[in-house]
């Protein structure tokens, strides 16, 4: 069934697909975001789940004029809360090459004497310092994993803020960061604190090795 | 007060004959001032006299010699046609004025109360030390402001444009903060009106900031912009910039992502009610939570929140509001009712067409793309929402905006985007307002 692209079932599935793409293709030097939903088709599969076929337009966060078309299939498993939706995608055309930016970040962090520590990215006024932008893009990519794992047809997540990030020094070639992020869930409007341990290497992509929802403080 | 009685009793034309009494009183005043170490200008006035002939000039010059009057010549008498400015202490006002009048010398009151001026100047000096703007022209629209700064802006705007703008207090928040609404009116009585509110959800900072910009924009354009001028010829505009001041203060001090009001919930540690689930439209139904800890908690009953009740009362008492626009962020959407039910509103077609036009206008400025539609189809089911209630009250042109962006920064929109967001949104607002103006019902 053809869905109006502006209607919520389509936009939620699209947000999930975009998050998954960010996880698979994002890095400190590259961030992707959903620009538009061109087309959405929903197909219910009795007793099994719901499938969405999507045609999306994605933009490069660092270069707004640069967009790529993306087709994606999202499959929400019926009633199963523990299984993440299946997502597959194809990107038409080339994404901007992030190798140089990634390498610069990699070398910079590897050469730090003291582990990187930072909070509140962006800050209350939306500021992100240039040095923190790659740290943020890495979180953007890694949060795509968390979003993917926790999405249903009734959720729409966005990364609201990095509350805290701490580098964990490793003896191997990987960079490791321990993030506490705030996810904004659009339907419930909740702000959900989430911890994630992120591993990254320029040639090996982003991995979330550990993640868990954190308790919210009721006094806030 | 006693002075008036004395002079009144005598009924004399020339008050100078009471100088003896004056001397005693002035002496007392001087003693008090010396004792307390302060000099006060309460009730002092500055009079301006422009002598037009030699006789007048002479009479004014004579005043200089009467030390008991303690006159302070800011501009001393010099020549005909040149103004003479005299600061007259309160006790001397009556005798001096009587003297001038008795001699047929006209004067004008340049400063009605010198102390008030001194006080204002002192405040302004304090302000400029803390770098608060002295006018809405020096106010920085490209940054986020505190509640105090916005309330000061409101007062400045009213003071600068008393013929167009007035400030109404429609109620108080839970924590007893005043709820201010700006009224923009070119006259008339209870004209059909447009209502705009920003900041009902406190974390949506670009909305309060845009509200401030809208206020200034209305003042700037109300005469030279044809569209706005013609709107104001027929209609009033009401603008509530900080609709949830308690929440806003909380986002500044404790939790930048606070959404709700700050009311205490009995039997719960959790604070606050979602002010956009607290209206009497589908209240209690799906699309809001009954859990006080939830961000969409509807509250114990409809209009339990004073911030909401104040607007409800205002709208009902006004009785002539024709368009109601409640502004949120983020998602880049223009929405019309309903949120609580899938039943389309009777005016769906018209509202959809207006939305299309408004969104096109918005996009035309910076290419920002918006979707539009009813709340329930476009974002989610939401019960107890603002514009569902206003629509059911008969306010046909009820809209909600979700401003920039679509999630890259979300609530934490960089300040550099405030003005572009406000500018493009204003174009959409004008479409809605003009449509209302042309289709009054």
């Amino acid at each position: 069934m053809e869905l109006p692209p502006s209607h919520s079932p389509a936009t939620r599935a699209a947000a999930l697909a975009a998050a998954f793409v960010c996880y698979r293709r994002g890095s400190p030097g590259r961030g992707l975001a959903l620009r538009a939903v061109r087309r959405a088709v929903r197909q219910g599969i009795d007793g099994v789940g719901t499938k969405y076929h999507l045609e999306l337009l994605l933009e490069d966060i660092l270069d707004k004029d640069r967009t790529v078309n993306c087709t994606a299939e999202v499959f929400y498993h019926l009633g199963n809360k523990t299984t993440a939706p299946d997502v597959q995608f194809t990107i038409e055309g080339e994404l901007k090459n992030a190798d140089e930016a990634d390498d610069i970040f990699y070398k910079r962090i590897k050469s730090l004497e003291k582990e990187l520590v930072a909070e509140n990215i962006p800050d209350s006024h939306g500021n992100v310092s240039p040095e923190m932008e790659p740290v943020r893009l890495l979180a953007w990519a890694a949060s795509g994993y968390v979003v993917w794992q926790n999405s249903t047809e009734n959720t729409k997540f966005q990364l609201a803020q990095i509350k805290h990030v701490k580098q964990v020094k490793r003896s191997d070639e990987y960079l490791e960061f321990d993030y506490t992020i705030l996810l904004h869930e659009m339907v419930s409007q909740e702000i959900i604190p989430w911890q994630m341990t992120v591993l990254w290497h320029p040639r090996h992509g982003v991995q979330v090795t550990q993640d868990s929802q954190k308790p919210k403080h009721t006094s806030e | 007060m006693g002075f008036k009685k004395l002079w009144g009793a005598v009924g004399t034309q020339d008050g100078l004959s009471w100088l003896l009494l004056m001397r005693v009183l002035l002496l007392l005043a001087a003693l008090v001032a010396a004792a307390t170490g302060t000099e006060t200008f309460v009730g002092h006035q500055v009079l301006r006299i422009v002598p037009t002939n030699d006789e007048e000039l002479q009479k004014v010059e004579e005043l200089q010699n009467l030390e008991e009057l303690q006159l302070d010549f800011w501009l001393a008498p010099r020549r005909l046609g040149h103004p003479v400015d005299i600061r007259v202490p309160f006790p001397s006002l009556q005798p001096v004025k009587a003297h001038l009048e008795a001699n047929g010398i006209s004067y004008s009151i340049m400063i009605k109360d010198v102390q008030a001026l001194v006080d204002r100047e002192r405040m302004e000096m304090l302000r400029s030390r803390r770098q608060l703007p002295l006018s809405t022209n020096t106010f920085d629209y490209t940054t986020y402001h505190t509640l105090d700064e916005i309330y000061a802006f409101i007062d400045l705007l009213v003071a600068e444009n008393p013929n167009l703008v007035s400030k109404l207090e429609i109620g108080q928040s839970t924590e007893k903060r005043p709820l201010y609404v700006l009224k923009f009116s070119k006259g008339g009585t209870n004209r059909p009106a447009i209502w705009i509110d920003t900041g009902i959800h406190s974390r949506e900072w670009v909305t309060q900031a845009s509200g401030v910009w809208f206020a200034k924009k209305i003042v700037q354009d109300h005469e030279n912009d044809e569209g706005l001028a013609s709107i104001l010829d027929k209609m009033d505009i009401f603008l509530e910039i900080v609709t949830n001041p308690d929440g806003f203060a909380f986002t500044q001090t404790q939790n930048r992502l606070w959404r709700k009001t700050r009311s205490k919930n009995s039997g719960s540690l959790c604070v606050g009610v979602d002010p956009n689930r607290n209206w009497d439209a589908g209240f209690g139904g799906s699309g809001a939570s009954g859990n006080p800890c939830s961000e969409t908690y509807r509250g114990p009953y409809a209009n339990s929140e004073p911030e909401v009740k104040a607007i409800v009362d205002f709208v009902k008492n006004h009785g002539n509001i024709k368009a109601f626009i409640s502004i949120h962020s983020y998602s880049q959407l223009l929405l019309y009712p309903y949120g609580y039910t899938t039943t389309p509103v009777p005016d769906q077609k018209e509202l959809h067409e207006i939305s299309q036009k408004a969104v096109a206008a918005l996009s035309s400025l910076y290419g920002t793309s918006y979707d539009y539609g009813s709340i329930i189809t476009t974002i989610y089911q939401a019960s107890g929402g603002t514009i569902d209630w206003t629509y059911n009250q008969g306010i046909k042109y009820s809209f909600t905006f979700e401003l920039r962006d679509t999630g890259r920064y979300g609530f934490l929109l960089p300040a550099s985007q405030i003005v572009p967001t406000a500018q493009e949104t204003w174009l959409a607002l004008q479409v809605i307002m003009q449509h209302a103006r042309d289709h009054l019902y």
Side-chain angles (χ1 to χ4, degrees), chain B residues 306-352:
Chain B
E307 297 83 353
V308 171
K309 180 89 175 28
I311 303 173
V312 168
D313 290 345
F314 180 84
V315 167
K316 283 182 163 169
N317 292 334
H318 187 281
N320 208 17
I321 294 176
K322 298 302 175 191
F324 191 104
I325 303 149
S326 192
I327 301 186
H328 293 249
S329 76
Y330 60 92
S331 282
Q332 292 174 204
L333 301 169
L334 176 50
L335 306 165
Y336 49 81
Y338 287 120
Y340 74 95
T341 173
T342 51
T343 307
V345 290
D347 300 293
Q348 148 102 12
K349 189 165 176 290
E350 188 183 357
L351 297 184
H352 199 78

Side-chain angles (χ1 to χ4, degrees), chain B residues 186-390:
Chain B
K186 296 212 299 213
T189 313
N190 199 237
R191 282 182 172 173
I194 296 150
W195 167 283
I196 302 169
D197 65 75
T198 53
I200 192 168
H201 285 142
S202 36
R203 62 191 180 196
E204 298 164 8
W205 277 18
V206 72
T207 70
Q208 298 96 334
S210 293
V212 167
W213 189 92
F214 298 150
K216 179 62 173 171
K217 183 68 171 166
I218 295 171
V219 155
Q220 278 177 327
D221 282 9
H222 77 280
E223 280 172 337
N224 54 44
D225 180 270
E226 241 185 83
L228 184 61
S230 71
I231 288 166
L232 285 167
D233 279 339
K234 281 195 187 173
M235 306 177 79
D236 294 339
I237 301 175
F238 292 98
L239 173 63
E240 185 174 10
I241 297 175
V242 189
T243 306
N244 177 6
D246 293 351
F248 190 56
F250 199 74
T251 60
Q252 309 259 328
T253 56
Q254 301 277 9
N255 181 352
R256 172 64 179 80
L257 295 175
W258 187 261
R259 164 185 170 91
K260 302 188 285 182
T261 62
R262 291 294 302 166
S263 51
K264 305 261 185 293
N265 294 310
S266 74
S268 175
L269 286 173
C270 293
V271 176
V273 167
D274 185 342
N276 198 21
R277 299 290 187 279
N278 189 240
W279 301 70
D280 198 1
F283 186 87
S286 298
S289 171
N291 180 352
C293 299
S294 164
E295 295 280 24
T296 55
Y297 176 50
R298 64 172 66 94
Y301 51 88
N303 304 329
S304 63
E305 303 312 284
E307 297 83 353
V308 171
K309 180 89 175 28
I311 303 173
V312 168
D313 290 345
F314 180 84
V315 167
K316 283 182 163 169
N317 292 334
H318 187 281
N320 208 17
I321 294 176
K322 298 302 175 191
F324 191 104
I325 303 149
S326 192
I327 301 186
H328 293 249
S329 76
Y330 60 92
S331 282
Q332 292 174 204
L333 301 169
L334 176 50
L335 306 165
Y336 49 81
Y338 287 120
Y340 74 95
T341 173
T342 51
T343 307
V345 290
D347 300 293
Q348 148 102 12
K349 189 165 176 290
E350 188 183 357
L351 297 184
H352 199 78
E353 282 165 5
I354 297 169
S355 300
Q356 185 180 39
K357 267 189 76 183
V359 157
L362 186 152
S363 279
S364 70
L365 197 54
Y366 297 110
T368 308
S369 68
Y370 266 58
D371 277 329
Y372 55 96
S374 70
I375 296 168
I376 196 168
T377 56
T378 314
I379 29 171
Y380 40 57
Q381 184 177 29
S383 62
T386 309
I387 64 167
D388 286 359
W389 180 81
T390 58

Side-chain angles (χ1 to χ4, degrees), chain A residues 12 61 136 184 190 220, chain B residues 203 258 295 330 379 408:
Chain A
R12 288 174 200 177
I61 285 178
R136 179 165 182 250
H184 173 224
E190 295 294 333
E220 287 180 322
Chain B
R203 62 191 180 196
W258 187 261
E295 295 280 24
Y330 60 92
I379 29 171
R408 165 129 189 247

Side-chain angles (χ1 to χ4, degrees), chain B residues 49-277:
Chain B
I49 301 151
V50 187
T52 54
N53 58 51
D54 285 324
E55 213 195 319
E56 286 185 6
L57 188 59
Q58 198 194 359
K59 287 286 175 197
V60 173
E61 281 167 344
E62 274 170 14
L63 283 173
Q64 287 177 113
N65 301 323
L66 300 169
E67 285 169 14
E68 302 87 346
L69 292 175
Q70 300 227 307
L71 302 180
D72 177 14
F73 281 78
W74 287 9
L75 283 175
R78 286 180 294 150
R79 294 208 298 273
L80 295 183
H82 280 240
V84 179
D85 289 348
I86 316 169
R87 177 179 62 81
V88 182
F90 182 71
S92 307
L93 270 177
Q94 189 69 324
V96 168
K97 287 178 178 174
H99 175 69
L100 293 171
E101 281 156 22
N103 289 281
I105 302 171
S106 58
Y107 63 90
S108 57
I109 302 172
M110 291 263 297
I111 299 171
K112 269 181 79 173
D113 186 346
V114 176
Q115 186 61 39
L117 202 60
V118 168
D119 289 341
R120 225 181 75 196
E121 188 187 53
R122 192 176 294 139
M123 238 185 19
E124 282 172 3
M125 282 169 61
L126 282 171
R127 269 183 183 165
S128 56
R129 271 217 299 272
R130 290 189 292 153
Q131 277 152 354
L132 280 175
L134 305 180
S135 88
T136 63
N137 291 327
T138 57
F139 187 88
D140 189 352
Y141 297 92
T142 66
T143 185
Y144 292 109
H145 287 277
T146 65
L147 187 62
D148 287 342
E149 287 166 358
I150 294 177
Y151 280 9
F153 163 85
I154 285 171
D155 287 338
L156 283 174
L157 194 75
V158 171
E160 292 164 12
N161 304 278
N163 294 330
L164 178 69
V165 196
S166 53
K167 178 176 91 172
L168 313 172
E169 186 172 330
I170 62 167
Q172 284 191 321
S173 67
T174 293
E175 292 175 346
K176 300 283 174 271
R177 291 186 174 84
L179 302 168
Y180 291 134
V181 171
L182 285 171
K183 177 182 180 184
F184 300 87
S185 177
K186 296 212 299 213
T189 313
N190 199 237
R191 282 182 172 173
I194 296 150
W195 167 283
I196 302 169
D197 65 75
T198 53
I200 192 168
H201 285 142
S202 36
R203 62 191 180 196
E204 298 164 8
W205 277 18
V206 72
T207 70
Q208 298 96 334
S210 293
V212 167
W213 189 92
F214 298 150
K216 179 62 173 171
K217 183 68 171 166
I218 295 171
V219 155
Q220 278 177 327
D221 282 9
H222 77 280
E223 280 172 337
N224 54 44
D225 180 270
E226 241 185 83
L228 184 61
S230 71
I231 288 166
L232 285 167
D233 279 339
K234 281 195 187 173
M235 306 177 79
D236 294 339
I237 301 175
F238 292 98
L239 173 63
E240 185 174 10
I241 297 175
V242 189
T243 306
N244 177 6
D246 293 351
F248 190 56
F250 199 74
T251 60
Q252 309 259 328
T253 56
Q254 301 277 9
N255 181 352
R256 172 64 179 80
L257 295 175
W258 187 261
R259 164 185 170 91
K260 302 188 285 182
T261 62
R262 291 294 302 166
S263 51
K264 305 261 185 293
N265 294 310
S266 74
S268 175
L269 286 173
C270 293
V271 176
V273 167
D274 185 342
N276 198 21
R277 299 290 187 279

